[in-house]
């Protein structure tokens, strides 16, 4: 599979969810005190992300 979520601990010992595509980290969440919170963040992204609109805030060329 070319994409996946990873849960890792950061230097502060918090749980962070990373989205990885083709071995490249695309984005990550804030740090959470529990693994369950990191999993909830992933579930929220999966639930709410597919229909997200694209908003281009660049200036017109």
């Amino acid at each position: 599979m070319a994409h996946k979520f990873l849960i890792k601990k950061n230097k502060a010992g918090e749980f962070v969810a990373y989205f990885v595509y083709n071995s490249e980290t695309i984005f990550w969440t804030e740090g959470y005190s529990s693994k369950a919170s990191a999993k909830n963040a992933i579930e929220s992204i999966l639930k709410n992300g597919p229909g997200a609109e694209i908003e281009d805030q660049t200036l017109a060329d």
Side-chain angles (χ1 to χ4, degrees):
M1 182 174 281
H3 57 281
K4 61 185 169 187
F5 284 96
L6 303 175
I7 296 176
K8 300 180 183 182
K9 280 192 169 185
N10 63 15
K11 291 179 181 180
E14 300 169 317
F15 295 93
V16 180
Y18 293 83
F19 180 72
V20 178
Y21 182 77
N22 286 336
S23 301
E24 182 178 345
T25 299
I26 305 299
F27 67 85
W28 57 91
T29 66
E30 62 183 284
Y32 296 100
S33 59
S34 71
K35 188 184 290 187
S37 293
K39 287 182 178 181
N40 285 340
I42 293 170
E43 291 301 320
S44 177
I45 294 165
L46 292 171
K47 177 182 174 185
N48 298 303
E53 65 181 71
I54 297 170
E55 183 176 316
D56 185 352
Q57 295 186 342
T58 61
L59 298 174
D61 293 335

